[in-house]
Amino acid sequence: MTATQRPAPASPAGQTKVTDPTSIRVTYRRFAGVRTRVFEVGPPAADPESGRTTRFRRGAPRTASRPTTPRLVLFHGFCDSADTWRPVLTELAKAGVPAMAVDLPGFGEADELRAGAMLPQLDAFAAAVIREQSVLGPVVIGGNSLGGTTTLRAAQNGKLPIAGVVSIAAPGFVDSWVVRAVAKYPIPLRLYSSLPLPVPSFLVKTIAENVVPHFLYANAGSAEKEHVKRFVDLFPDYKATTVRLEQARQMVTELENAYQLEAITSPLLVVVCGKDKLVSAASGRRLHALVPHSRLLVRQDWGHCPQLDDPAEIAELLTYFAAGVTRATKSERKLVAVSDTVSAQEAVG
């Protein structure tokens, strides 16, 4: 796989246009055969001699000059998109922290999911993203909701170069009545999809506009219109709503066998949101208990999508966690090197 960034447009004078270093760069790339939209911030990866964006090839040799600055890779939740991370990316850009967010297959501007199981498709996609970014430095992955599931499943793959994992409100442990109802009581969904007359589009939109803020935010009154609109647009009419509801039912069913947590060895931070109406706080606490080496952060004032409630705090949390795990990794490498040296000296002696 080869992933490239589109070159910046040239200025009238023929020079490469210089962009604001704090802006979010938007490109389109392919990962595991899926074309998707990519948001990136922080110093771009460039050849120091030519100034051109570096091309990354799987299996390419890693030189001693490989960057050691951690890179954040962020995954969004179900029926969401990389746009959910825009406020956080803006904060990270101000701090000069390298980070990226992508539209997962089936959402945002990414290619549609193929027929069949959904989680394996997300696994292959996430693995391709992580491998690409690992060429640029230690990769720390973070995800919200379904994105949290994606990060946990990636961490279960011992072949992926992951320095650390942040799971925010990952479902599948102790979920709310809403999530349980989708999987265990599909009859209302079937009745909805079999109505003799479709529900008028304006009514679908009105219901979505009132429901979405309550599920995503800690305080529905603080919901940003642009983010609410992004979710509402996923349910423009009766047909689209039935498709999304069926996807949700399939996803919740797949979550029953989604995790092999004993395979996770990377540092893991579990974030619990006290005002989450979709994934209960007990879910995060159970995840923490099932992964003994994990750390737990409980915020009673956050809702299901804390990246929308408090982007500055989430950006700071991700930054400090990434810095901490990469420092620990460096220290471990030094200890191993010292141990190997001592062992060699003893063998010679």
Side-chain angles (χ1 to χ4, degrees):
M1 177 197 74
T2 301
T4 60
Q5 265 192 329
R6 292 179 178 176
S11 65
Q15 300 295 323
T16 301
K17 183 178 180 181
V18 179
T19 58
D20 181 356
T22 64
S23 65
I24 298 175
R25 303 185 297 277
V26 183
T27 59
Y28 290 82
R29 312 231 272 277
R30 283 188 180 276
F31 299 100
V34 177
R35 185 176 185 273
T36 190
R37 183 180 53 160
V38 180
F39 293 161
E40 291 179 291
V41 297
D47 184 333
E49 295 183 1
S50 66
R52 296 179 180 177
T53 303
T54 305
R55 294 176 66 88
F56 309 109
R57 296 182 182 276
R58 183 183 299 178
R62 299 182 180 181
T63 65
S65 60
R66 177 173 175 265
T68 57
T69 301
R71 305 186 67 80
L72 293 167
V73 176
L74 306 174
F75 299 108
H76 62 78
F78 183 78
C79 279
D80 205 344
S81 71
D83 291 288
T84 195
W85 293 108
R86 275 186 177 272
V88 172
L89 289 173
T90 298
E91 296 294 329
L92 294 172
K94 293 176 183 177
V97 177
M100 72 181 295
V102 293
D103 288 337
L104 289 173
F107 306 104
E109 297 184 30
D111 289 343
E112 292 298 324
L113 285 159
R114 299 183 299 277
M118 301 167 71
L119 289 180
Q121 296 181 58
L122 300 183
D123 292 342
F125 177 86
V129 174
I130 292 166
R131 288 192 178 102
E132 183 211 72
Q133 290 298 294
S134 69
V135 178
L136 304 173
V139 173
V140 174
I141 55 177
N144 169 241
S145 192
L146 175 60
T149 296
T150 302
T151 62
L152 290 172
R153 286 174 62 88
Q156 292 170 182
N157 183 350
K159 296 181 180 179
L160 290 179
I162 298 173
V165 183
V166 179
S167 176
I168 305 172
F173 299 98
V174 183
D175 298 323
S176 71
W177 67 268
V178 177
V179 176
R180 293 196 303 271
V182 170
K184 295 184 178 181
Y185 307 103
I187 293 178
L189 306 184
R190 293 174 182 172
L191 289 176
Y192 176 83
S193 61
S194 61
L195 289 174
L197 293 175
V199 178
S201 298
F202 80 89
L203 182 57
V204 173
K205 182 178 179 180
T206 299
I207 294 173
E209 287 176 341
N210 285 276
V211 170
V212 166
H214 289 279
F215 280 134
L216 302 185
Y217 286 80
N219 178 11
S222 64
E224 295 284 345
K225 291 183 179 179
E226 62 179 296
H227 292 294
V228 173
K229 181 180 183 301
R230 180 161 47 81
F231 281 92
V232 171
D233 287 346
L234 293 171
F235 306 93
D237 52 36
Y238 170 83
K239 182 179 180 180
T241 303
T242 58
V243 170
R244 291 299 182 184
L245 288 175
E246 179 55 33
Q247 280 186 330
R249 186 201 64 77
Q250 179 182 340
M251 182 60 67
V252 174
T253 301
E254 289 186 33
L255 286 173
E256 294 179 1
N257 299 298
Y259 304 113
Q260 289 81 46
L261 300 176
E262 65 279 359
I264 297 178
T265 58
S266 302
L268 169 63
L269 174 62
V270 179
V271 179
V272 170
C273 306
K275 293 187 176 182
D276 191 337
K277 302 175 185 67
L278 291 177
V279 178
S280 70
S283 183
R285 290 191 174 92
R286 184 181 180 194
L287 170 58
H288 171 56
L290 292 172
V291 184
H293 70 272
S294 66
R295 284 175 274 176
L296 178 68
L297 172 66
V298 180
R299 283 292 299 261
Q300 297 296 345
D301 55 333
W302 284 351
H304 185 64
C305 295
Q307 67 271 18
L308 300 180
D309 283 322
D310 201 342
E313 284 287 336
I314 289 294
E316 186 173 2
L317 170 68
L318 292 168
T319 300
Y320 277 101
F321 176 77
V325 296
T326 51
R327 278 199 303 268
T329 301
K330 291 177 184 177
S331 299
E332 290 170 2
R333 288 174 180 170
K334 289 180 180 178
L335 287 173
V336 170
V338 171
S339 176
D340 290 343
T341 301
V342 171
S343 297
Q345 289 175 346
E346 290 176 347
V348 172

